[in-house]
Amino acid sequence: MTGGEPAGRRAFVAGTGAALLAGQAGAARAAVADGPLPGFHPALKDALTFPLAWGNSSIRDFDTWRRAARAKVEETLLVDREDATPYAPEFQRRTDGDGYTGELVTLSLTRHERVRAALLTPHGPGPFPAVLLLHDHGAKFDIGKEKLVRPWYDGARLASARAWTQKYFSGRFVGDELARRGYVVLVADALGWGDRGPLAHDQQQALASNFYHLGSSLAGLMAREDARAAGFLARLERVDRRRIAAVGFSMGAFRAWQAAALTDDLAATAAVCWMTGLREMMVPGNNTLRGQSSYCMLHPGLSRHLDFPDVASIAAPRPMLFFNGGLDPLFPADGVRVAHEKLRAVWRSRHAEERLHLRTWPDLGHVFTDRMQDEVFMWLDHVL
């Protein structure tokens, strides 16, 4: 979730009819406090004990715990796990870049829809290591994959894409940089962005609600598609299937560690500017409380079992990198600290703490600058 949501001025009003019945003593307490939070939200937060988290769960064998935790996450996605739909890729629109070839590929990530993605392949014989690159939210829907890969195929989107890279990525297209360094790169639009949009900002909650009415989930669809995209990379002859990483910024970071939790096709994960404890994030003024973008990352009921770092820990002890900006307004420092402590404890329990790279950039906000990128690239070179 890059950037903030427009702050609405409408107040949510909840009736407390029973407290207003004639003759009942005492005044009714406010039903809503701190904006859209219910007045009793502290009690709800206190009830979030995450009993399925590693270390809280009664399951003591880690592999058994991983299976149980993954099954719980999959249950809350509300989107069927088994989807044997053939990818049936169709390759179009090639271009030669600086040391790599770009292609557009249309494929079936689920049985519901064909999706167009950008695929970059380094020059040379291969097989190559690969990166599943996952775009952010940013409340900007006209571009998705184009935030990360230069849109050689669409001049109309080029100016918008360049402006985005200047704002968040030091003017770089991260996908092109990775391809130049020898990685196959795949990046697709999530539903609502680029070729699959553009979604209007204030339509997000309605879209998510309609998914729920239809017995499905917007966030669950995104999670399933990302895991399937990793599987597509693993099946390409040009890719070394043992050396595939997921990399993302902001919502893309959430998607990256989530995909790592859901599939073993990913050998490593780099997540920039999306990791926190849920309880520490649910505070007045936080962007999450405004809804809208939150629905891309909301799996109903999951928080009764697992916190965000608990989900990411399903991927342990595979190598994982988490960066955050010390000036990032979206993720309070105490939430980042709690999450990092949980992650560190899990990797330590696996005798693999050296595979976990945690870093806060004190002078940076919600960005993925060239300095951060260079460190991620070097880390990928080392772990893959």
Side-chain angles (χ1 to χ4, degrees):
M1 67 177 78
T2 314
E5 308 280 8
R9 300 183 64 86
R10 291 180 299 169
F12 175 77
V13 179
T16 53
L20 300 178
L21 290 175
Q24 180 168 335
R29 300 173 65 184
V32 176
D34 296 322
L37 282 170
F40 49 85
H41 71 271
L44 296 178
K45 287 174 66 173
D46 288 344
L48 296 177
T49 60
F50 311 116
L52 189 52
W54 177 248
N56 293 347
S57 171
S58 60
I59 302 173
R60 292 293 177 258
D61 176 73
F62 192 76
D63 288 339
T64 303
W65 173 81
R66 285 184 74 242
R67 290 192 293 270
R70 178 180 284 181
K72 180 55 66 177
V73 176
E74 289 174 338
E75 176 186 325
T76 64
L77 299 184
L78 307 181
V79 176
D80 292 341
R81 176 186 179 188
E82 299 301 331
D83 192 329
T85 303
Y87 291 106
E90 299 177 67
F91 298 91
Q92 316 109 356
R93 300 290 297 276
R94 295 170 60 94
T95 187
D96 279 324
D98 178 16
Y100 63 93
T101 298
E103 297 172 277
L104 290 177
V105 55
T106 302
L107 67 160
S108 297
L109 292 179
T110 65
R111 64 179 179 275
H112 299 295
E113 180 178 28
R114 301 278 285 168
V115 177
R116 191 168 77 157
L119 180 66
L120 309 183
T121 304
H123 294 162
F128 304 98
V131 169
L132 174 63
L133 200 52
L134 300 160
H135 71 73
D136 60 76
H137 185 289
K140 184 173 178 60
F141 301 96
D142 62 311
I143 53 175
K145 58 186 177 295
E146 295 81 14
K147 296 176 179 181
L148 297 165
V149 168
R150 180 180 58 83
W152 76 88
Y153 49 85
D154 192 336
R157 292 179 181 173
L158 183 56
S160 181
R162 281 178 171 160
W164 200 252
T165 67
Q166 289 292 339
K167 186 174 183 180
Y168 291 105
F169 307 134
S170 297
R172 288 176 169 179
F173 286 101
V174 177
D176 298 63
E177 293 289 331
L178 283 163
R180 277 190 282 269
R181 293 184 66 100
Y183 292 88
V184 172
V185 175
L186 178 71
V187 55
D189 296 318
L191 183 63
W193 280 267
D195 295 336
R196 303 174 76 187
L199 183 69
H201 185 276
D202 61 1
Q203 292 177 329
Q204 294 177 88
Q205 289 184 194
L207 177 63
S209 173
N210 291 334
F211 263 93
Y212 291 146
H213 279 304
L214 294 167
S216 190
S217 165
L218 173 62
L221 175 70
M222 192 179 300
R224 290 292 189 212
E225 288 186 346
D226 292 342
R228 281 266 294 176
F232 172 71
L233 271 177
R235 285 155 182 79
L236 287 176
E237 291 186 0
R238 69 190 77 176
V239 169
D240 181 346
R241 66 175 305 156
R242 299 165 301 174
R243 302 167 66 201
I244 303 173
V247 176
F249 163 66
S250 193
M251 183 185 75
F254 176 98
R255 296 167 63 192
W257 54 254
Q258 176 177 254
L262 291 172
T263 177
D264 294 330
D265 287 324
L266 295 168
T269 305
V272 179
C273 291
W274 213 117
M275 178 47 68
T276 181
L278 171 62
R279 292 175 54 166
E280 293 75 25
M281 184 175 67
M282 297 294 293
V283 294
N286 190 275
N287 190 60
T288 300
L289 271 60
R290 296 170 180 163
Q292 300 295 3
S293 65
S294 298
Y295 282 86
C296 296
M297 294 157 277
L298 176 61
H299 305 307
L302 181 57
S303 61
R304 296 175 64 90
H305 307 277
L306 297 162
D307 198 356
F308 298 128
D310 304 326
V311 175
S313 295
I314 295 171
R318 284 174 276 164
M320 298 193 85
L321 174 151
F322 294 91
F323 284 170
N324 76 287
L327 304 179
D328 190 336
L330 300 179
F331 299 100
D334 57 341
V336 174
R337 176 185 53 77
V338 165
H340 284 187
E341 289 175 353
K342 287 186 174 185
L343 293 164
R344 190 176 289 110
V346 176
W347 264 257
R348 185 184 298 123
S349 76
R350 300 297 90 213
H351 308 289
E353 194 171 359
E354 74 283 356
R355 296 183 181 181
L356 182 66
H357 187 27
L358 306 174
R359 181 172 177 185
T360 295
W361 299 70
D363 60 327
L364 297 177
H366 197 73
V367 291
F368 187 18
T369 66
D370 51 3
R371 287 187 290 147
M372 303 167 88
Q373 292 167 38
D374 289 343
E375 188 164 324
V376 168
F377 299 158
M378 288 188 292
W379 181 82
L380 289 172
D381 293 343
H382 175 69
V383 301
L384 288 181

